[in-house]
Amino acid sequence: MLDRFGLLEVMRASRLTQFPISPVLRETHGFKGRLSFFLLLAGALLFTFVSLEQDIRASGTSLQPGWPMLILVVALLVALGFEFINGFHDTANAVATVIYTNALPPRFAVAWSGLWNFLGVLFSSGAVAFAIVSLLPLDLLLKVESNAGLAMIFALLIASILWNLGTWWLGLPVSSSHTLIGSIVGIGLAHGAMSGHLGLSGSAWSQLLTVGYALLLSPLVGFVSAFVLLRAMSASIRNRALFHSPEGRTPPPGWIRGLLIVTCTGVSFAHGSNDGQKGIGLIMLILIATVPLAFAVDRAHSPEQTRQLLGLAQASQAQLQHAGGGAVSGDPRQVLLAYQQAPRVGPDLLPSLGVVIGDVATRLERHGEMAKVPGDEVQALRNDLYLSLETIRLLDQGEQNIDLETWSTLQALRTEGEKTIRFIPVWVKVAVALALGLGTLVGWRRIVTTVGEGIGKTPLTYAQGAAAQLVAMLTIGAADGFGLPVSTTHVLSSGVAGTMSANGSGLQWPTIRNMLLAWVLTLPAAIGLAAGLYWVFAQVL
């Protein structure tokens, strides 16, 4: 079917450009390089599972050999595999311009980019990780340890991996963010259909629209900004050698070479701090599902932090009961879940929220410290707190008749509660950083060839590489500051296309059509893959 429409041939053309392949793209790794890579990979896996085992022991939990341990190990390997593929799929864009313009040798460039991806993940805020997770159906997140929750996790990861690998094999610069969002939508639609209703909840729609705007607008920003920047450079820089394509292995002039290296560093760091968080969010879901006692809440909370959370919960409960002015006529948790599906403030909403927050306060008061909450209560504590915080967040986006004092208390509870359930162990960040960094070391050549020689009718010049890279660094860094997931691939590729238009060299429309087609197909393909896999895994599990 694909060949019938000529799509496969268009995709293959992205790897077969009209120019001789740059000599730097013909280099291959030797035996020592491969050996070093596999030793680093083995060390990263050893570190991950030893750290996991130490955290499980510290919580007083023990995992016996069997299905639970097998599911945990397989899920973690798949999640780390997703980040590894993200490394050589998306991060190739970060090194494309410095490699193609000879600013850095390929081996050093990918190692340097891998290092800064690693550091980007380590210093990330976590905002993007939880923004991605909150797109998933709330009722599945509240029972993530169930069969349906595990089906959600595996479908999400495997669908994303399959599409990313397929497009990488064809040399297509496709967004891992785009793929992941499509997979989340597919799971939400499939879960809704299997539960008897179509569509996504109001909460998921609001988050999806925010993320969708970021993914849609960032390539436009990249194209226009790079176009304007190259025109400005052309008007102000007298050295015309910067506007010619590299010859052989000739490096660019010193200052432009420095700019290319700095922007490569910035894009790599921004990519790690933005895209790396998606893997962090998924791994935290896996850990909460399989080892809730160790990871459902932050058991390292001090007694003082627990008392502060308890005080806010008690104050919120009392104020909501006064504001609601009535008793709850049904299950309060079902009232809050219904509000997530259709955000309309009914008479039962505030009293129901007060009851659920009151249950959180009761558990905290009974045990005194987070570390002393027993295993049979920790998942319930996390779910009640999560459901309460999501309700407060959704109330914040709509109209509510709540007095200022009550609203201030709820916002303080939300801030303190998020510290309890939205925490990231250091070893999880390190594991994701290692997977992303090691992924950068392999597979970059296909995407670099497309970016350097497949987008424009002439090969990439020094000035074009610097302009596109600078715009990508600033755009991705700004998005990370606002907690928005954007596509490194789309921003940089559109930036390169913008510089080609500004330079008057023109675009290779087969490649551009190929990239646009892949951009259009990514969402429906990921939705279909994830929905189908979720249905299959839900039946099997």
Side-chain angles (χ1 to χ4, degrees), residues 356-383:
V356 176
I357 292 175
D359 288 345
V360 171
T362 300
R363 287 193 175 91
L364 293 175
E365 188 174 25
R366 182 188 307 139
H367 302 294
E369 295 182 31
M370 205 67 68
K372 293 181 179 179
V373 179
D376 59 346
E377 291 188 38
V378 70
Q379 190 68 275
L381 173 62
R382 179 250 178 195
N383 287 350

PDB file of all heavy atoms in Angstrom, residues 356-383:
ATOM      1  N   VAL A 356     -12.141  13.630  50.689  1.00  0.00           N
ATOM      2  CA  VAL A 356     -10.939  12.932  50.215  1.00  0.00           C
ATOM      3  C   VAL A 356      -9.694  13.532  50.867  1.00  0.00           C
ATOM      4  O   VAL A 356      -8.792  12.797  51.307  1.00  0.00           O
ATOM      5  CB  VAL A 356     -10.845  12.997  48.672  1.00  0.00           C
ATOM      6  CG1 VAL A 356      -9.545  12.357  48.188  1.00  0.00           C
ATOM      7  CG2 VAL A 356     -12.036  12.296  48.031  1.00  0.00           C
ATOM      8  N   ILE A 357      -9.628  14.848  50.947  1.00  0.00           N
ATOM      9  CA  ILE A 357      -8.492  15.481  51.625  1.00  0.00           C
ATOM     10  C   ILE A 357      -8.478  15.105  53.101  1.00  0.00           C
ATOM     11  O   ILE A 357      -7.418  14.902  53.707  1.00  0.00           O
ATOM     12  CB  ILE A 357      -8.541  17.015  51.442  1.00  0.00           C
ATOM     13  CG1 ILE A 357      -8.282  17.386  49.982  1.00  0.00           C
ATOM     14  CG2 ILE A 357      -7.517  17.708  52.339  1.00  0.00           C
ATOM     15  CD1 ILE A 357      -8.423  18.865  49.677  1.00  0.00           C
ATOM     16  N   GLY A 358      -9.669  14.979  53.699  1.00  0.00           N
ATOM     17  CA  GLY A 358      -9.752  14.554  55.090  1.00  0.00           C
ATOM     18  C   GLY A 358      -9.201  13.160  55.307  1.00  0.00           C
ATOM     19  O   GLY A 358      -8.552  12.885  56.333  1.00  0.00           O
ATOM     20  N   ASP A 359      -9.424  12.252  54.336  1.00  0.00           N
ATOM     21  CA  ASP A 359      -8.853  10.907  54.445  1.00  0.00           C
ATOM     22  C   ASP A 359      -7.326  10.951  54.384  1.00  0.00           C
ATOM     23  O   ASP A 359      -6.639  10.181  55.068  1.00  0.00           O
ATOM     24  CB  ASP A 359      -9.398  10.012  53.325  1.00  0.00           C
ATOM     25  CG  ASP A 359     -10.866   9.650  53.539  1.00  0.00           C
ATOM     26  OD1 ASP A 359     -11.355   9.845  54.673  1.00  0.00           O
ATOM     27  OD2 ASP A 359     -11.517   9.187  52.576  1.00  0.00           O
ATOM     28  N   VAL A 360      -6.785  11.863  53.560  1.00  0.00           N
ATOM     29  CA  VAL A 360      -5.335  12.046  53.517  1.00  0.00           C
ATOM     30  C   VAL A 360      -4.834  12.498  54.887  1.00  0.00           C
ATOM     31  O   VAL A 360      -3.844  11.968  55.424  1.00  0.00           O
ATOM     32  CB  VAL A 360      -4.949  13.087  52.438  1.00  0.00           C
ATOM     33  CG1 VAL A 360      -3.467  13.451  52.537  1.00  0.00           C
ATOM     34  CG2 VAL A 360      -5.262  12.558  51.044  1.00  0.00           C
ATOM     35  N   ALA A 361      -5.524  13.468  55.478  1.00  0.00           N
ATOM     36  CA  ALA A 361      -5.115  13.983  56.789  1.00  0.00           C
ATOM     37  C   ALA A 361      -5.189  12.902  57.862  1.00  0.00           C
ATOM     38  O   ALA A 361      -4.316  12.806  58.734  1.00  0.00           O
ATOM     39  CB  ALA A 361      -6.006  15.172  57.169  1.00  0.00           C
ATOM     40  N   THR A 362      -6.225  12.066  57.790  1.00  0.00           N
ATOM     41  CA  THR A 362      -6.382  10.998  58.789  1.00  0.00           C
ATOM     42  C   THR A 362      -5.208  10.027  58.751  1.00  0.00           C
ATOM     43  O   THR A 362      -4.669   9.640  59.796  1.00  0.00           O
ATOM     44  CB  THR A 362      -7.700  10.243  58.539  1.00  0.00           C
ATOM     45  OG1 THR A 362      -8.794  11.151  58.643  1.00  0.00           O
ATOM     46  CG2 THR A 362      -7.880   9.110  59.552  1.00  0.00           C
ATOM     47  N   ARG A 363      -4.802   9.646  57.551  1.00  0.00           N
ATOM     48  CA  ARG A 363      -3.668   8.716  57.432  1.00  0.00           C
ATOM     49  C   ARG A 363      -2.377   9.354  57.923  1.00  0.00           C
ATOM     50  O   ARG A 363      -1.569   8.706  58.593  1.00  0.00           O
ATOM     51  CB  ARG A 363      -3.522   8.255  55.980  1.00  0.00           C
ATOM     52  CG  ARG A 363      -4.595   7.273  55.527  1.00  0.00           C
ATOM     53  CD  ARG A 363      -4.216   6.618  54.197  1.00  0.00           C
ATOM     54  NE  ARG A 363      -5.181   5.596  53.836  1.00  0.00           N
ATOM     55  CZ  ARG A 363      -6.274   5.802  53.101  1.00  0.00           C
ATOM     56  NH1 ARG A 363      -6.516   7.031  52.640  1.00  0.00           N
ATOM     57  NH2 ARG A 363      -7.095   4.828  52.823  1.00  0.00           N
ATOM     58  N   LEU A 364      -2.156  10.593  57.560  1.00  0.00           N
ATOM     59  CA  LEU A 364      -0.932  11.266  58.001  1.00  0.00           C
ATOM     60  C   LEU A 364      -0.904  11.428  59.518  1.00  0.00           C
ATOM     61  O   LEU A 364       0.137  11.239  60.158  1.00  0.00           O
ATOM     62  CB  LEU A 364      -0.814  12.639  57.329  1.00  0.00           C
ATOM     63  CG  LEU A 364      -0.594  12.648  55.811  1.00  0.00           C
ATOM     64  CD1 LEU A 364      -0.609  14.082  55.278  1.00  0.00           C
ATOM     65  CD2 LEU A 364       0.706  11.966  55.438  1.00  0.00           C
ATOM     66  N   GLU A 365      -2.053  11.755  60.084  1.00  0.00           N
ATOM     67  CA  GLU A 365      -2.113  11.936  61.534  1.00  0.00           C
ATOM     68  C   GLU A 365      -1.906  10.609  62.260  1.00  0.00           C
ATOM     69  O   GLU A 365      -1.266  10.553  63.310  1.00  0.00           O
ATOM     70  CB  GLU A 365      -3.451  12.546  61.917  1.00  0.00           C
ATOM     71  CG  GLU A 365      -3.540  12.963  63.381  1.00  0.00           C
ATOM     72  CD  GLU A 365      -4.823  13.702  63.675  1.00  0.00           C
ATOM     73  OE1 GLU A 365      -5.822  13.490  62.934  1.00  0.00           O
ATOM     74  OE2 GLU A 365      -4.839  14.494  64.632  1.00  0.00           O
ATOM     75  N   ARG A 366      -2.421   9.532  61.691  1.00  0.00           N
ATOM     76  CA  ARG A 366      -2.323   8.225  62.334  1.00  0.00           C
ATOM     77  C   ARG A 366      -0.884   7.728  62.390  1.00  0.00           C
ATOM     78  O   ARG A 366      -0.457   7.124  63.376  1.00  0.00           O
ATOM     79  CB  ARG A 366      -3.186   7.209  61.574  1.00  0.00           C
ATOM     80  CG  ARG A 366      -3.205   5.800  62.204  1.00  0.00           C
ATOM     81  CD  ARG A 366      -3.923   4.807  61.291  1.00  0.00           C
ATOM     82  NE  ARG A 366      -5.255   5.326  60.953  1.00  0.00           N
ATOM     83  CZ  ARG A 366      -5.795   5.236  59.737  1.00  0.00           C
ATOM     84  NH1 ARG A 366      -5.102   4.676  58.748  1.00  0.00           N
ATOM     85  NH2 ARG A 366      -6.988   5.699  59.506  1.00  0.00           N
ATOM     86  N   HIS A 367      -0.101   8.017  61.352  1.00  0.00           N
ATOM     87  CA  HIS A 367       1.251   7.443  61.272  1.00  0.00           C
ATOM     88  C   HIS A 367       2.346   8.461  61.579  1.00  0.00           C
ATOM     89  O   HIS A 367       3.465   8.054  61.902  1.00  0.00           O
ATOM     90  CB  HIS A 367       1.467   6.827  59.893  1.00  0.00           C
ATOM     91  CG  HIS A 367       0.460   5.765  59.557  1.00  0.00           C
ATOM     92  ND1 HIS A 367       0.393   4.572  60.241  1.00  0.00           N
ATOM     93  CD2 HIS A 367      -0.544   5.745  58.632  1.00  0.00           C
ATOM     94  CE1 HIS A 367      -0.608   3.853  59.741  1.00  0.00           C
ATOM     95  NE2 HIS A 367      -1.188   4.536  58.765  1.00  0.00           N
ATOM     96  N   GLY A 368       2.080   9.736  61.441  1.00  0.00           N
ATOM     97  CA  GLY A 368       3.035  10.750  61.866  1.00  0.00           C
ATOM     98  C   GLY A 368       4.141  11.045  60.884  1.00  0.00           C
ATOM     99  O   GLY A 368       4.522  12.195  60.707  1.00  0.00           O
ATOM    100  N   GLU A 369       4.687  10.038  60.242  1.00  0.00           N
ATOM    101  CA  GLU A 369       5.771  10.212  59.275  1.00  0.00           C
ATOM    102  C   GLU A 369       5.433   9.459  57.998  1.00  0.00           C
ATOM    103  O   GLU A 369       4.797   8.400  58.034  1.00  0.00           O
ATOM    104  CB  GLU A 369       7.093   9.703  59.840  1.00  0.00           C
ATOM    105  CG  GLU A 369       7.613  10.467  61.034  1.00  0.00           C
ATOM    106  CD  GLU A 369       8.946   9.927  61.507  1.00  0.00           C
ATOM    107  OE1 GLU A 369       9.709   9.427  60.653  1.00  0.00           O
ATOM    108  OE2 GLU A 369       9.226   9.984  62.717  1.00  0.00           O
ATOM    109  N   MET A 370       5.914   9.989  56.871  1.00  0.00           N
ATOM    110  CA  MET A 370       5.652   9.343  55.589  1.00  0.00           C
ATOM    111  C   MET A 370       6.288   7.960  55.536  1.00  0.00           C
ATOM    112  O   MET A 370       5.722   7.019  54.967  1.00  0.00           O
ATOM    113  CB  MET A 370       6.189  10.217  54.454  1.00  0.00           C
ATOM    114  CG  MET A 370       5.499   9.992  53.128  1.00  0.00           C
ATOM    115  SD  MET A 370       3.771  10.508  53.114  1.00  0.00           S
ATOM    116  CE  MET A 370       3.945  12.279  53.245  1.00  0.00           C
ATOM    117  N   ALA A 371       7.455   7.817  56.147  1.00  0.00           N
ATOM    118  CA  ALA A 371       8.154   6.536  56.105  1.00  0.00           C
ATOM    119  C   ALA A 371       7.434   5.453  56.890  1.00  0.00           C
ATOM    120  O   ALA A 371       7.699   4.262  56.696  1.00  0.00           O
ATOM    121  CB  ALA A 371       9.577   6.701  56.642  1.00  0.00           C
ATOM    122  N   LYS A 372       6.511   5.842  57.784  1.00  0.00           N
ATOM    123  CA  LYS A 372       5.819   4.856  58.619  1.00  0.00           C
ATOM    124  C   LYS A 372       4.464   4.441  58.063  1.00  0.00           C
ATOM    125  O   LYS A 372       3.769   3.628  58.673  1.00  0.00           O
ATOM    126  CB  LYS A 372       5.646   5.416  60.036  1.00  0.00           C
ATOM    127  CG  LYS A 372       6.953   5.596  60.785  1.00  0.00           C
ATOM    128  CD  LYS A 372       6.719   6.122  62.188  1.00  0.00           C
ATOM    129  CE  LYS A 372       8.035   6.281  62.940  1.00  0.00           C
ATOM    130  NZ  LYS A 372       7.831   6.827  64.315  1.00  0.00           N
ATOM    131  N   VAL A 373       4.072   5.010  56.933  1.00  0.00           N
ATOM    132  CA  VAL A 373       2.804   4.598  56.314  1.00  0.00           C
ATOM    133  C   VAL A 373       2.961   3.166  55.814  1.00  0.00           C
ATOM    134  O   VAL A 373       3.861   2.876  55.027  1.00  0.00           O
ATOM    135  CB  VAL A 373       2.423   5.531  55.144  1.00  0.00           C
ATOM    136  CG1 VAL A 373       1.121   5.076  54.491  1.00  0.00           C
ATOM    137  CG2 VAL A 373       2.307   6.968  55.625  1.00  0.00           C
ATOM    138  N   PRO A 374       2.107   2.219  56.260  1.00  0.00           N
ATOM    139  CA  PRO A 374       2.284   0.814  55.882  1.00  0.00           C
ATOM    140  C   PRO A 374       1.973   0.557  54.414  1.00  0.00           C
ATOM    141  O   PRO A 374       1.322   1.367  53.737  1.00  0.00           O
ATOM    142  CB  PRO A 374       1.292   0.080  56.796  1.00  0.00           C
ATOM    143  CG  PRO A 374       0.269   1.103  57.145  1.00  0.00           C
ATOM    144  CD  PRO A 374       0.979   2.416  57.174  1.00  0.00           C
ATOM    145  N   GLY A 375       2.429  -0.594  53.942  1.00  0.00           N
ATOM    146  CA  GLY A 375       2.295  -0.924  52.534  1.00  0.00           C
ATOM    147  C   GLY A 375       0.868  -0.998  52.039  1.00  0.00           C
ATOM    148  O   GLY A 375       0.583  -0.653  50.896  1.00  0.00           O
ATOM    149  N   ASP A 376      -0.060  -1.442  52.899  1.00  0.00           N
ATOM    150  CA  ASP A 376      -1.441  -1.569  52.448  1.00  0.00           C
ATOM    151  C   ASP A 376      -2.179  -0.229  52.393  1.00  0.00           C
ATOM    152  O   ASP A 376      -3.321  -0.159  51.946  1.00  0.00           O
ATOM    153  CB  ASP A 376      -2.205  -2.547  53.348  1.00  0.00           C
ATOM    154  CG  ASP A 376      -2.205  -2.097  54.816  1.00  0.00           C
ATOM    155  OD1 ASP A 376      -1.410  -1.194  55.149  1.00  0.00           O
ATOM    156  OD2 ASP A 376      -2.985  -2.651  55.604  1.00  0.00           O
ATOM    157  N   GLU A 377      -1.523   0.855  52.842  1.00  0.00           N
ATOM    158  CA  GLU A 377      -2.159   2.172  52.811  1.00  0.00           C
ATOM    159  C   GLU A 377      -1.455   3.151  51.881  1.00  0.00           C
ATOM    160  O   GLU A 377      -2.022   4.186  51.520  1.00  0.00           O
ATOM    161  CB  GLU A 377      -2.191   2.777  54.220  1.00  0.00           C
ATOM    162  CG  GLU A 377      -3.125   2.074  55.180  1.00  0.00           C
ATOM    163  CD  GLU A 377      -3.255   2.834  56.490  1.00  0.00           C
ATOM    164  OE1 GLU A 377      -3.283   4.085  56.458  1.00  0.00           O
ATOM    165  OE2 GLU A 377      -3.315   2.190  57.545  1.00  0.00           O
ATOM    166  N   VAL A 378      -0.218   2.874  51.494  1.00  0.00           N
ATOM    167  CA  VAL A 378       0.567   3.878  50.792  1.00  0.00           C
ATOM    168  C   VAL A 378      -0.010   4.182  49.409  1.00  0.00           C
ATOM    169  O   VAL A 378      -0.041   5.340  48.977  1.00  0.00           O
ATOM    170  CB  VAL A 378       2.050   3.433  50.699  1.00  0.00           C
ATOM    171  CG1 VAL A 378       2.226   2.256  49.761  1.00  0.00           C
ATOM    172  CG2 VAL A 378       2.928   4.592  50.266  1.00  0.00           C
ATOM    173  N   GLN A 379      -0.525   3.157  48.694  1.00  0.00           N
ATOM    174  CA  GLN A 379      -1.104   3.400  47.375  1.00  0.00           C
ATOM    175  C   GLN A 379      -2.386   4.216  47.494  1.00  0.00           C
ATOM    176  O   GLN A 379      -2.643   5.119  46.688  1.00  0.00           O
ATOM    177  CB  GLN A 379      -1.372   2.072  46.669  1.00  0.00           C
ATOM    178  CG  GLN A 379      -1.741   2.196  45.198  1.00  0.00           C
ATOM    179  CD  GLN A 379      -0.606   2.681  44.320  1.00  0.00           C
ATOM    180  OE1 GLN A 379      -0.389   3.875  44.191  1.00  0.00           O
ATOM    181  NE2 GLN A 379       0.129   1.763  43.722  1.00  0.00           N
ATOM    182  N   ALA A 380      -3.194   3.919  48.521  1.00  0.00           N
ATOM    183  CA  ALA A 380      -4.433   4.676  48.739  1.00  0.00           C
ATOM    184  C   ALA A 380      -4.120   6.135  49.086  1.00  0.00           C
ATOM    185  O   ALA A 380      -4.808   7.057  48.630  1.00  0.00           O
ATOM    186  CB  ALA A 380      -5.254   4.032  49.843  1.00  0.00           C
ATOM    187  N   LEU A 381      -3.074   6.348  49.900  1.00  0.00           N
ATOM    188  CA  LEU A 381      -2.654   7.709  50.243  1.00  0.00           C
ATOM    189  C   LEU A 381      -2.234   8.465  48.991  1.00  0.00           C
ATOM    190  O   LEU A 381      -2.647   9.617  48.773  1.00  0.00           O
ATOM    191  CB  LEU A 381      -1.508   7.660  51.248  1.00  0.00           C
ATOM    192  CG  LEU A 381      -0.849   9.007  51.590  1.00  0.00           C
ATOM    193  CD1 LEU A 381      -1.842   9.953  52.236  1.00  0.00           C
ATOM    194  CD2 LEU A 381       0.370   8.796  52.492  1.00  0.00           C
ATOM    195  N   ARG A 382      -1.432   7.833  48.178  1.00  0.00           N
ATOM    196  CA  ARG A 382      -0.977   8.475  46.945  1.00  0.00           C
ATOM    197  C   ARG A 382      -2.155   8.787  46.014  1.00  0.00           C
ATOM    198  O   ARG A 382      -2.246   9.879  45.447  1.00  0.00           O
ATOM    199  CB  ARG A 382       0.030   7.555  46.253  1.00  0.00           C
ATOM    200  CG  ARG A 382       0.576   8.106  44.936  1.00  0.00           C
ATOM    201  CD  ARG A 382       0.049   7.328  43.762  1.00  0.00           C
ATOM    202  NE  ARG A 382       0.510   7.867  42.486  1.00  0.00           N
ATOM    203  CZ  ARG A 382      -0.023   7.560  41.311  1.00  0.00           C
ATOM    204  NH1 ARG A 382      -1.046   6.726  41.240  1.00  0.00           N
ATOM    205  NH2 ARG A 382       0.453   8.091  40.199  1.00  0.00           N
ATOM    206  N   ASN A 383      -3.088   7.840  45.862  1.00  0.00           N
ATOM    207  CA  ASN A 383      -4.217   8.050  44.962  1.00  0.00           C
ATOM    208  C   ASN A 383      -5.125   9.182  45.441  1.00  0.00           C
ATOM    209  O   ASN A 383      -5.576  10.013  44.644  1.00  0.00           O
ATOM    210  CB  ASN A 383      -5.027   6.757  44.829  1.00  0.00           C
ATOM    211  CG  ASN A 383      -4.300   5.704  43.999  1.00  0.00           C
ATOM    212  OD1 ASN A 383      -3.279   5.999  43.370  1.00  0.00           O
ATOM    213  ND2 ASN A 383      -4.804   4.490  44.002  1.00  0.00           N
TER     214      ASN A 383
END
